[in-house]
C-alpha cells in the first residue's frame, strides 16, 4: 500500500473542488453591462460665500491686540499681536471649530527647514 501524506491528499481535493466550480462558472463577458445614468449637474456655490470679504473686528485684551475675521458669523482666523515686541501669530479653527491650531502666518506653502550651519 502506498504511503500518501495527508497534506498532498488535501491539496489534490482542493484542486478537484476548484476544477468542478470552474465548469459551472458563467462567462464574465456574457453578463450584460449595467445601465448607467448621467451624473447630475453640480449647483454653483453660494454667491454670498465666494464673494464675501471677511468682517474683521479688532479688540484689546490684556496686553495683546486680537483681530477676529468672520464670514457669515463663522470665525475663519484670529490674529494675536503681543503688545511688547512679540511676533504676531494666527489661530485657525479646526473642522469642528472647537479647537484652534496656532500658525506663524496664513501661508500654507511647504517650507523646508533651513538652518545656518556656517557663517563668517
Amino acid at each position: 500500500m502506498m504511503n500518501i501524506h495527508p497534506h498532498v491528499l488535501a491539496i489534490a481535493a482542493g484542486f478537484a473542488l476548484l476544477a468542478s466550480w470552474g465548469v459551472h462558472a458563467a462567462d464574465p463577458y456574457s453578463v450584460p453591462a449595467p445601465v448607467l445614468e448621467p451624473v447630475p449637474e453640480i449647483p454653483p456655490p453660494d454667491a454670498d460665500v465666494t464673494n464675501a470679504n471677511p468682517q474683521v473686528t479688532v479688540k484689546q485684551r490684556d496686553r495683546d491686540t486680537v483681530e477676529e475675521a468672520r464670514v457669515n458669523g463663522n470665525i475663519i482666523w484670529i490674529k494675536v499681536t503681543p503688545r511688547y515686541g512679540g511676533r504676531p501669530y494666527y489661530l485657525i479653527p479646526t473642522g469642528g471649530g472647537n479647537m484652534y491650531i496656532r500658525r506663524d502666518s496664513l501661508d500654507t506653502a511647504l517650507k523646508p527647514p533651513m538652518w545656518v550651519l556656517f557663517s563668517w
Side-chain angles (χ1 to χ4, degrees):
M1 183 169 195
M2 235 183 345
N3 212 358
I4 299 177
H5 290 290
H7 298 292
V8 174
L9 188 58
I11 291 172
F15 279 129
L17 184 61
L18 286 175
S20 68
W21 282 345
V23 172
H24 301 292
D27 182 20
Y29 297 108
S30 66
V31 178
V35 178
L36 301 177
E37 298 179 11
V39 177
E41 291 292 323
I42 298 173
D46 294 338
D48 298 338
V49 175
T50 56
N51 296 330
N53 291 330
Q55 177 187 2
V56 179
T57 9
V58 180
K59 300 176 184 176
Q60 292 290 334
R61 291 193 182 156
D62 297 329
R63 297 180 181 165
D64 301 332
T65 302
V66 178
E67 301 174 44
E68 294 180 352
R70 296 176 182 264
V71 172
N72 293 334
N74 297 326
I75 294 178
I76 56 172
W77 54 262
I78 299 172
K79 180 180 179 182
V80 179
T81 307
R83 180 180 285 179
Y84 298 112
R87 294 183 58 188
Y89 59 91
Y90 292 87
L91 299 173
I92 311 296
T94 59
N98 298 333
M99 297 180 62
Y100 293 89
I101 298 172
R102 182 178 172 160
R103 291 195 181 164
D104 292 330
S105 71
L106 291 176
D107 186 19
T108 59
L110 177 65
K111 295 179 184 153
M114 302 178 85
W115 295 286
V116 177
L117 298 178
F118 302 102
S119 68
W120 53 89

